[in-house]
Amino acid sequence: MQKFSSLPNLENKRVFLRVDLNVPIKDKKVIDDYKIYKVIKTIEFLLRKKTVIIIATHLGKAKGRYNEDLSTEPIAKYLAKILDKKIKFIPEVIGNVTKKEIKSAKPGDIIFLENLRFKKGELDNDDKFAKELASLADIYINDALAVSHRKQASVAAIKKYLPSYSGLLLESELKAFERVLNPKKPLVVIMGGAKIKTKAPLIANLYKNSTRILLGGGLANSFLKYNKLEIGKSLCDEESAKIIKKMMKEKSYKQKIILPLDVVVLTKEGRVQAKDVKNVLKTDTIFDIGPATISAYSAYIKEAQTLIWNGPMGKFEDLDFRAGTIAIAILVASRSSGHAYGVVGGGETVAALRSIRMIEYVDFVSTAGGAMLSYLGGEEMPGL
Ligand code: ADP
Ligand code: MG
């Protein structure tokens, strides 16, 4: 894939722009426009260049057939409102209507396709389908890092059939990730959330360069359990033992991997209580990191020149267990607005940061979710 800056003269050309506008929708209305604003820069650039823009995205977990609830029409409407411009929504991905509309489109027109995942060919990375998509345009731009870890036609196979370029958003995300992979030290990694399996490669890949890796959430529970501590009925990934064992063989493990000192539990009587990790009972459920842990983690965070955070410290959706995640959010955001370079990613993590209106303080907030984990974890990226 070539750089955005090396795009040829686009006048009178047709550009196929793959974006990630997989946004939450309720009653056929977009209820969170964060991702839409993220790709606006690329779209506005193309508009100024007088091209025909064909915008395509996936939405939700469509299974290769039409599903009214997952139509991208509300997104097209919302984008039209933001841009204050007419957008032609086409109620199919490819077919005669699409071809006709594109044929009659004039420079500066925007055409918005139906959900790519309504087509099985998209999910199967099918060559024939990719070729058909490619036939709609002269140039391909990928601005959807969020799906670039997947082998799907609109990010992978399509590149065989069109000159391909990366979009502005995708390039800015990769630039931020490079700064994390070649960090100014100390690098402090903060990780939490649900499944260790998807996050372990990232820990393994960042391990060498990182000064500390602070753990919380279900991820920390798995480590505590491995250390033979009682975690009661807490969320824990049973498959994780092997991964943790391998990590523990590293010489600097004890110095680098930092576990909670205390946790907030829900007791069997229904009380919410902070406890030393040694005092958790069989009947307790861990739902947050405790105050001593917040204090210890804050000291590490203040040392950092580079910060990366993925995964909530607890079940922050519940008011009783919000403190740990919000404390980390405030610390990461305020440090990275000045002293350190900070990158935050992950669906729920970003939601936590947004809930306290501190998203703008962080140097880079990635909307790429799982793709960010794959990229930073050093995995293959078929879309790049
Ligand atoms: P992200 O999307 O930011 O990468 P994950 O998807 O890995 O994060 O995990 C987020 C979810 O993990 C949140 O919904 C949160 O409620 C849950 N979670 C975190 N810690 C715990 C815990 N100790 N017990 C139960 N759920 C937890
Ligand atoms: Mg998530």
Side-chain angles (χ1 to χ4, degrees), residues 121-310:
E122 167 69 1
L123 301 169
D124 297 343
N125 195 31
D126 179 55
D127 268 328
K128 212 176 125 224
F129 175 70
K131 211 169 171 174
E132 267 193 88
L133 280 183
S135 74
L136 303 175
D138 307 300
I139 282 168
Y140 168 77
I141 295 178
N142 179 7
D143 216 7
L145 182 67
V147 275
S148 294
H149 60 318
R150 301 198 188 282
K151 251 194 195 127
Q152 295 186 344
S154 67
V155 289
I158 192 171
K159 295 206 295 306
K160 285 193 256 178
Y161 305 108
L162 281 178
S164 305
Y165 297 82
S166 46
L168 286 172
L169 172 63
L170 186 136
E171 286 188 354
S172 71
E173 301 205 273
L174 294 184
K175 223 159 104 191
F177 295 165
E178 283 315 309
R179 270 185 85 164
V180 169
L181 291 173
N182 305 292
K184 230 181 171 176
K185 290 181 195 174
L187 165 67
V188 174
V189 179
I190 306 141
M191 292 210 59
K195 275 194 198 127
I196 181 171
K197 219 172 65 191
T198 55
K199 314 223 171 185
L202 192 149
I203 300 183
N205 210 32
L206 295 176
Y207 190 88
K208 206 171 130 254
N209 272 331
S210 61
T211 315
R212 312 273 181 202
I213 300 176
L214 318 177
L215 298 181
L219 198 56
N221 294 344
S222 305
F223 279 78
L224 292 171
K225 185 169 180 191
Y226 190 87
N227 287 350
K228 305 240 161 13
L229 284 162
E230 179 62 60
I231 61 164
K233 302 195 284 189
S234 313
L235 175 71
C236 166
D237 178 17
E238 293 294 340
E239 293 171 59
S240 57
K242 251 197 273 161
I243 303 168
I244 297 175
K245 196 170 164 191
K246 216 168 116 198
M247 261 184 242
M248 286 183 150
K249 286 207 185 109
E250 303 266 350
K251 236 184 16 227
S252 49
Y253 174 84
K254 272 230 164 81
Q255 226 188 339
K256 278 193 180 176
I257 303 263
I258 313 290
L259 295 177
L261 304 165
D262 60 349
V263 287
V264 178
V265 304
L266 183 68
T267 68
K268 92 168 174 271
E269 295 81 20
R271 288 187 58 206
V272 175
Q273 223 176 12
K275 285 187 174 182
D276 189 290
V277 286
K278 292 193 195 82
N279 301 333
V280 174
L281 302 177
K282 255 200 175 84
T283 48
D284 288 339
T285 315
I286 302 172
F287 279 129
D288 198 3
I289 55 174
T293 307
I294 295 175
S295 167
Y297 284 11
S298 111
Y300 290 126
I301 291 170
K302 282 179 190 152
E303 284 172 8
Q305 294 273 345
T306 308
L307 279 165
I308 171 157
W309 177 33
N310 168 262

Side-chain angles (χ1 to χ4, degrees), residues 349-369:
T349 313
V350 174
L353 193 58
R354 293 189 71 195
S355 75
I356 52 166
R357 306 285 179 269
M358 287 188 95
I359 214 159
E360 263 98 56
Y361 303 163
V362 177
D363 294 289
F364 197 84
V365 173
S366 172
T367 53

